[in-house]
Amino acid sequence: MNKLVILFHSGYGHTEKQAHSVLEGAKKVSNVEANLMAIPENGELSGAQWEELAEAEGIIFGSPTYMGGVSWQFKKVADASSKPWFGQQWKDKIAAGFTNSATINGDKFLTVNYLQTLAMQHGMVWVGVGLMPSNAKDADRNDINYLGGFNGLFAQSPSDSSPEEGPLPGDLKTAILFGERIANAVARWNK
């Protein structure tokens, strides 16, 4: 059984909701065991969590976009990943990333670019969204990939919304498809 870990931080619950949708899609792939790993508020993982990441065939990174980048909690974990980096523990694992911010743009691209760079430094194999954008005149905000993410998964939650209100259904449907795509990539890569 191939293992896929969705490693994420969520400050207000919106990114966690997105992570659950990614997990829902990943669980559709029968020969992949997918699990969530929430980064705690202190930004520190346990020894058992680091071991779970080492044993996984794929890692999906997730963070809210704060001020044009990942949360400090995610960054603390990324900095601590220099220990697995030194031993090349994550080399050739499948990697992908997602983010959520309060505005439609919100500089989400910078956050996903950071996640992608982290993966590349570890020698991982990055997989993008693989979905066409909903960019025609009759497109609706709840269409698949309305935000047009290609290198990573984007979602938007209004700043005054609760996690029950955001991200919107179209972003969550996109997250399900994304999770399934990444799990399929893990399964194919590890035949």
Side-chain angles (χ1 to χ4, degrees):
M1 180 73 68
N2 296 299
K3 294 182 181 179
L4 174 62
V5 175
I6 302 164
L7 174 66
F8 73 97
H9 175 255
S10 182
Y12 299 99
H14 302 95
T15 308
E16 180 176 4
K17 186 174 179 183
Q18 185 183 22
H20 280 278
S21 291
V22 172
L23 177 66
E24 181 182 337
K27 287 188 174 256
K28 291 182 177 189
V29 180
S30 61
N31 57 345
V32 174
E33 176 188 321
N35 297 306
L36 294 177
M37 182 182 293
I39 297 171
E41 281 309 303
N42 67 4
E44 295 179 11
L45 299 181
S46 68
Q49 287 174 309
W50 284 110
E51 186 59 35
E52 185 178 347
L53 292 169
E55 292 173 359
E57 283 80 24
I59 303 172
I60 301 175
F61 302 115
S63 173
T65 295
Y66 292 157
M67 304 306 290
V70 295
S71 66
W72 71 261
Q73 292 90 342
F74 189 94
K75 180 71 166 85
K76 188 173 180 181
V77 169
D79 288 349
S81 76
S82 62
K83 290 181 182 176
W85 170 82
F86 189 76
Q88 294 291 279
Q89 289 181 1
W90 296 359
K91 186 174 184 173
D92 294 330
K93 293 180 187 294
I94 295 294
F98 63 92
T99 191
N100 178 74
S101 71
T103 59
I104 294 289
N105 180 326
D107 295 320
K108 288 185 256 303
F109 177 78
L110 295 172
T111 301
V112 170
N113 190 47
Y114 174 83
L115 300 174
Q116 187 176 30
T117 300
L118 174 66
M120 295 297 95
Q121 288 180 339
H122 277 280
M124 301 172 84
V125 179
W126 188 263
V127 178
V129 175
L131 296 168
M132 294 298 290
S134 295
N135 59 3
K137 286 193 299 185
D138 65 346
D140 179 270
R141 178 61 186 90
N142 282 315
D143 286 345
I144 301 297
N145 202 18
Y146 182 86
L147 297 179
F150 293 101
N151 65 331
L153 177 66
F154 296 165
Q156 185 261 332
S157 302
S159 62
D160 59 349
S161 69
S162 69
E164 291 75 33
E165 298 170 301
L168 294 175
D171 292 347
L172 297 177
K173 289 179 213 168
T174 306
I176 292 168
L177 294 170
F178 174 77
E180 186 174 9
R181 174 179 166 81
I182 306 309
N184 275 314
V186 167
R188 283 195 306 268
W189 184 257
N190 294 289
K191 279 186 180 181

